[in-house]
Amino acid sequence: MNIRKIIFCTFLFTLCLLSCKKDKENYDAIRLNSFIGALDFELPIFVKVGDEITLTPKGISRADKKGFDVAWRVANVHKDFHTVRTEDDAPSKTGLITFTVPNIKGVLSVSCQVTAKGFYAETKTKELVVLDPNTSLDRGVLGENIKTFIDSRDSREYHYTKIGNRYWMIDNLSYGAKGISYRKSPVMDPIYGRYYSWEEAKDISPQSWRLPTKEDWDDLVNSIVDKSQISGSMMVNAQLNEARMWEFWPKVKITNASSFYAIPTGYITKIEEGGGLRYSDIWQYSVYWTADEVDEGRAVARYIYTKNPNLLTFEADKNLFYASVRCVKDIDDE
């Protein structure tokens, strides 16, 4: 082999080794200048206009135990990132932020950014839903025959009307002494109502009201003129923050002809192992407890479904299944 070729090949090999070494040094530098862990912060899913929210970054640190800058940006509150902590601040300054939820309805974006000299920035963005309990739920103009009463236990106002031979509440019960809020967010109670186990629901009604029996539900169904569209006659074409709630299905015509004003709040099941909660079929089902028992462990629930024109029945666990409650009372009790 020509000596010049040998020298040239040796030169290229040396360059390759030097390049690989340099790449490794660059990689090590990047790795050393990366934060440890993953930036995060806890954000509620639902809030209402005017709520005061406090957020604190967590899950991230430096290998040298030194500090870092923390900046926040809240849509409709901050135009740009707002620094609340620098890397030279004392460890006691956690980088928390407190802000007032702006007067909007809809999705609000919140971002946290962590930086330090010689480090790559880390950013985490989450979203929450802003609600106005008085206006976020739009059920249209309520009928002329709608009345109201105040629950003396918590001063909450409910609407009701005559359907068939009974008075029915047209709001889901939201008495807070028992039951579960949707996604554990009490701001949802005036909108969705609370979800109750049957054991809670059987004695949770306001004074002079009761949990409806099979006979009460039968009377409601008998009052509906179009028996081919029972569920549609009970559903109201509601919107939440201007988003349609009931999913569209051509076989179900939503008319609210009965003035029941049903909205699709789904149901909750409690997981026996660990006690977690599963929220199911929101915006597809409305599920309501009846007063009727099946046996020691089960009770009867009635439900309407966006793809079925009937009022349906099923049996559920008294303690692990959580449904909405609509209360009823006799007209003579008015």
Side-chain angles (χ1 to χ4, degrees):
M1 179 181 291
N2 189 299
I3 188 65
R4 291 182 178 178
K5 290 185 178 180
I6 294 174
I7 294 173
F8 181 69
C9 290
T10 303
F11 175 71
L12 289 177
F13 180 71
T14 302
L15 284 178
C16 184
L17 288 176
L18 291 173
S19 177
C20 290
K21 182 179 180 181
K22 185 176 181 180
D23 288 344
K24 184 178 185 303
E25 289 174 351
N26 289 339
Y27 173 78
D28 289 342
I30 292 172
R31 182 180 62 181
L32 291 173
N33 289 323
S34 296
F35 291 105
I36 298 174
L39 176 62
D40 198 9
F41 55 91
E42 294 182 1
L43 190 70
I45 300 175
F46 301 98
V47 297
K48 67 177 183 293
V49 173
D51 277 352
E52 189 173 87
I53 307 297
T54 298
L55 305 175
T56 304
K58 64 178 184 178
I60 197 168
S61 62
R62 288 173 55 164
D64 57 11
K65 308 299 182 183
K66 294 183 179 180
F68 41 77
D69 295 358
V70 177
W72 296 88
R73 182 173 60 198
V74 181
N76 296 85
V77 176
H78 306 122
K79 182 178 179 180
D80 299 305
F81 275 99
H82 173 62
T83 300
V84 297
R85 183 191 190 280
T86 70
E87 61 180 291
D88 297 325
D89 286 334
S92 59
K93 193 168 184 179
T94 60
L96 65 81
I97 189 174
T98 298
F99 66 94
T100 301
V101 176
N103 187 18
I104 66 168
K105 289 188 295 184
V107 177
L108 185 67
S109 176
V110 179
S111 299
C112 181
Q113 187 176 82
V114 169
T115 57
K117 295 176 183 177
F119 282 75
Y120 285 89
E122 294 285 340
T123 304
K124 182 76 173 184
T125 299
K126 291 185 175 183
E127 294 179 337
L128 51 77
V129 178
V130 181
L131 299 165
D132 183 333
N134 297 316
T135 63
S136 283
L137 177 62
D138 181 6
R139 296 185 291 181
V141 178
L142 298 183
E144 295 180 357
N145 296 323
I146 303 300
K147 302 179 180 181
T148 61
F149 76 94
I150 302 297
D151 188 342
S152 60
R153 299 171 297 181
D154 57 8
S155 299
R156 181 153 289 175
E157 182 181 68
Y158 293 96
H159 297 82
Y160 71 101
T161 192
K162 180 178 179 292
I163 305 176
N165 297 302
R166 315 281 195 276
Y167 283 124
W168 285 83
M169 287 171 46
I170 67 168
D171 306 308
N172 291 349
L173 187 68
S174 57
Y175 181 54
K178 295 183 179 179
I180 300 172
S181 299
Y182 180 67
R183 297 289 181 182
K184 298 181 180 180
S185 299
V187 68
M188 294 297 292
D189 289 357
I191 298 172
Y192 277 12
R194 290 174 74 88
Y195 300 76
Y196 302 93
S197 69
W198 186 85
E199 291 292 349
E200 294 172 331
K202 66 180 181 179
D203 57 4
I204 201 71
S205 298
Q207 185 177 4
S208 80
W209 293 82
R210 66 173 186 274
L211 198 61
T213 63
K214 178 181 182 301
E215 290 72 23
D216 295 324
W217 286 103
D218 287 346
D219 182 75
L220 185 152
V221 171
N222 290 335
S223 72
I224 294 175
V225 175
D226 188 355
K227 297 297 189 293
S228 68
Q229 287 293 326
I230 292 173
S231 65
S233 295
M234 296 173 65
M235 298 173 180
V236 63
N237 198 8
Q239 294 183 337
L240 183 62
N241 281 353
E242 300 183 356
R244 179 190 176 103
M245 296 186 72
W246 285 106
E247 293 184 0
F248 173 76
W249 189 253
K251 293 184 179 179
V252 175
K253 296 178 176 59
I254 299 177
T255 65
N256 192 38
S258 69
S259 295
F260 190 77
Y261 288 89
I263 60 174
T265 51
Y267 55 92
I268 299 174
T269 49
K270 182 176 287 187
I271 303 169
E272 289 188 84
E273 295 183 4
L277 302 174
R278 181 181 293 115
Y279 301 85
S280 302
D281 295 321
I282 304 299
W283 294 21
Q284 292 188 38
Y285 286 79
S286 287
V287 186
Y288 308 97
W289 280 120
T290 77
D292 303 312
E293 297 180 75
V294 178
D295 52 36
E296 290 184 0
R298 295 173 299 159
V300 177
R302 306 301 296 268
Y303 70 100
I304 51 179
Y305 173 41
T306 188
K307 296 183 180 181
N308 193 305
N310 300 304
L311 175 63
L312 306 170
T313 304
F314 79 112
E315 300 169 0
D317 188 286
K318 290 180 177 179
N319 293 297
L320 299 179
F321 189 85
Y322 287 73
S324 301
V325 167
R326 286 290 186 93
C327 301
V328 67
K329 71 175 181 177
D330 297 324
I331 291 177
D332 293 341
D333 293 336
E334 179 72 356

